[in-house]
Amino acid sequence: MNSSKTPSSSPEASSPESSENGVEGGRRRATINDIARLAGVSKKTVSRVINQSPFVRDETRERIEAVIAEWGYAPDPQARGLAFRRSFLIGMIYDNPNPQYVVNMQLGLLDGMRGSGFELVVHPCNRASPTFLQDVRSFVERQKLFGVVLPPSVSEDERVAKLLNEIGCSYIRIASVELDKPEHMIVGHDRMGAAAAAQHIVGLGHKRIAFISGPESFRSSHERRGGFEDGLAESGLKLTENDIVQGAYTFESGVACGDVLLARTPRPTAIFCGNDEMAAGVLQSARKAGLSVPQDVSVVGFDDFQIAQAVWPPLTTVHTPTREIGKMAAEKLIGVERREPRDMTKTEPSLVVRESSGPVPV
Amino acid sequence: MNSSKTPSSSPEASSPESSENGVEGGRRRATINDIARLAGVSKKTVSRVINQSPFVRDETRERIEAVIAEWGYAPDPQARGLAFRRSFLIGMIYDNPNPQYVVNMQLGLLDGMRGSGFELVVHPCNRASPTFLQDVRSFVERQKLFGVVLPPSVSEDERVAKLLNEIGCSYIRIASVELDKPEHMIVGHDRMGAAAAAQHIVGLGHKRIAFISGPESFRSSHERRGGFEDGLAESGLKLTENDIVQGAYTFESGVACGDVLLARTPRPTAIFCGNDEMAAGVLQSARKAGLSVPQDVSVVGFDDFQIAQAVWPPLTTVHTPTREIGKMAAEKLIGVERREPRDMTKTEPSLVVRESSGPVPV
DNA sequence: CTGAAAGCGCTTACAG
DNA sequence: CTGAAAGCGCTTACAG
């Protein structure tokens, strides 16, 4: 059994390399003791400077900071974490299947953590696993995580939030609705984006409009549908039961739903899809049916991931600022004070008009 | 200046939450001292069990393991790392711009690390930055990384390998050619995949064949080109200077190169592209020129990322087992002994024939 | 095969 | 405003 729960390369077991590791290029890294000695103070005072304590005379602080800078000293996060009983690691726990989303979210979190000394540990998971909660718990507890960021759909799992509260781990939930206290939330405002899509479609003169929804289990499915209906309502339009088809946020489900909708008589002249993947699927379906987009039918997506520009015609879609949202989440988690007030418009979705939408056919 | 190099939420500065953190749900986690006491041995002996030392009597070991299991004890990686002078974190340092690649690589690394107690810290970087090497160095040294995995193109940077050797950090380079000692390499065999693509194209009867290359700075560009030429050579065909156009592995460069190639007289009847992105671009270009794929021109890609199936027609391409390669890299780094011998065919690229390639037009 | 002492590099009370 | 002592949870020599 090599599935032991501890790293297996131990010193006593067998480590051929360990002997040569002592002889590294360059001199030993400075420690807090070195800095204290060099600055002629106790290590506690150096510690105060590191931790930005106000109880240090300016003169002393400057002297210490000079020594720190001269030696390029950086405190050991491991030792600091051991004493703090809390590491300087941020966990991202997620099950979102879209690579573009995942990568943009990671980049955003890293943006928000830059220069802070924190590092990002990634932790994909499976919410359906019987050991899911136990996995999350042991991940958080073993690493003594400073905090975790939860994108959808993990963010929508109340069991996870409850667990995190119980074990006293800071967390930020990213979701399309306010699911928790404000200090734990970054909200995406999917409704606004979907409403903008509705207005765009209505503005083009469409009346026979269909909606392909994401899966029931995602809050964003409901928000995007709700926002779309809000937008239509402004022009006095509304979706009937029949106008809504249930997809699964996948390309294949988009093809299937497209097949259903495009076979109808009368055919819808515009289809709003819960995400780009499904919109790309509808494009595929239209091609099979010999229909032109947007001449015969307009198609609008949501997310503005790369696929939106790679398909033909390029998709009109709702851009979501995933990376910016990630940045905000990280900043909130680690408690960064911002110079400028937050510009809320930067995290709002916005409509991007491309070539997959056009006037209603005559 | 909040750009201090240490986490800013310090106890002395201002931490409103810190007081309530002491009162967490449930009892304190067990430590090595608890286990030692409960098992009636010294902590050193518990340590020996944790580290799989052979110098423990079987009876003693079993008793200790029983206590460990009963209490669900897991050693604190932070304390262990402090004593070891080495953390149990694996870094992935990368600059590959493709989200699908990045996510699959991460998943593969995680596959290889599962159950080992290691965690994955992600570290995107910019090789062109003047502080690049310094950034890598301080990341590795500060976190006392157990080791790092370098996908292309970071893996191709000799300065990074040199640095890592100097500071004594284990590393695995993932590349399309053997750039280093075998213990530091996982090789992708891009040549084989490109040769298979050539054979497929030749088999379809094509003679006027063009190649869109990736950027000079990526080794894979050269390997894919070389492999393609090898494959053609088997049938006595060869590429002239004129048949090769230089792209940049991006969708846009694919469009541009497609525009150039498809405007020629006589037009090539088949185009092999260095990756899927560029192949998707060529599809776009063909559409603009009013050409049908594969009736007028066959297009073949490389990678088999999602885009290959989302475009129309779906791309014939070379599938690369990114995730499997990541798994091997992680296993090699942490020194996992494998039950079965490695199945090399699992890391070889393989041709996937879809609808973007067909017989040469008559 | 097993253990007591010292140490990894920090921070926490507690003094002054 | 500053410091000496003890401790965070492990592992390393060194003994036996």
Side-chain angles (χ1 to χ4, degrees), chain A residues 52 331 336-343, chain B residues 1-4:
Chain A
Q52 303 173 82
E331 289 176 339
V336 168
E337 318 290 336
R338 298 173 63 109
R339 304 264 135 292
E340 347 73 57
R342 257 180 242 287
D343 180 359
Chain B
M1 291 284 289
N2 206 336
S3 66
S4 72

Side-chain angles (χ1 to χ4, degrees), chain B residues 27-47 50 63-76:
Chain B
R27 61 179 181 291
R28 186 177 56 88
R29 286 185 67 198
T31 72
I32 196 172
N33 288 306
D34 300 321
I35 302 301
R37 185 165 28 77
L38 261 19
V41 296
S42 76
K43 56 203 265 196
K44 173 58 201 168
T45 302
V46 177
S47 176
I50 293 171
R63 182 151 38 95
I64 294 173
E65 281 175 345
V67 177
I68 288 177
E70 182 188 352
W71 288 78
Y73 166 72
D76 181 331

Side-chain angles (χ1 to χ4, degrees), chain A residues 39-98:
Chain A
V41 296
S42 75
K43 56 203 264 195
K44 173 57 201 169
T45 301
V46 177
S47 175
R48 286 198 179 87
V49 171
I50 293 170
N51 291 298
Q52 303 173 82
S53 161
F55 307 115
V56 181
R57 218 193 324 162
D58 282 351
E59 189 200 332
T60 312
R61 175 189 308 282
E62 281 161 23
R63 182 151 37 96
I64 294 172
E65 281 174 344
V67 177
I68 288 178
E70 182 187 352
W71 288 77
Y73 167 71
D76 180 332
Q78 226 153 198
R80 224 151 94 85
L82 184 60
F84 264 142
R85 293 166 186 70
R86 189 175 189 181
S87 75
F88 297 102
L89 302 175
I90 304 292
M92 168 171 160
I93 303 179
Y94 59 99
D95 64 346
N96 189 307
N98 191 294

Side-chain angles (χ1 to χ4, degrees), chain A residues 94-203:
Chain A
Y94 59 99
D95 64 346
N96 189 307
N98 191 294
Q100 184 113 27
Y101 181 86
V102 170
V103 164
N104 283 342
M105 180 54 62
Q106 289 178 177
L107 289 173
L109 295 176
L110 260 0
D111 287 343
M113 293 158 56
R114 203 174 312 289
S116 70
F118 288 94
E119 295 290 343
L120 180 64
V121 179
V122 296
H123 197 87
C125 66
N126 173 12
R127 269 219 290 157
S129 160
T131 59
F132 168 60
L133 286 177
Q134 184 52 47
D135 293 345
V136 169
R137 179 180 197 127
S138 70
F139 171 54
V140 171
E141 289 194 329
R142 277 195 68 178
Q143 301 300 324
K144 300 211 286 291
L145 258 29
F146 184 89
V148 295
V149 175
L150 313 172
S153 71
V154 177
S155 65
E156 296 162 4
D157 194 323
E158 291 302 335
R159 299 172 305 167
V160 175
K162 182 160 171 289
L163 170 67
L164 262 11
N165 273 314
E166 276 171 16
I167 63 184
C169 176
S170 298
Y171 64 92
I172 301 288
R173 302 165 74 171
I174 296 170
S176 47
V177 268
E178 194 97 21
L179 299 164
D180 207 325
K181 294 185 211 143
E183 63 265 33
H184 290 302
M185 290 298 312
I186 298 287
V187 181
H189 305 294
D190 289 20
R191 291 189 86 90
M192 288 183 48
Q199 284 150 15
H200 169 69
I201 289 171
V202 170

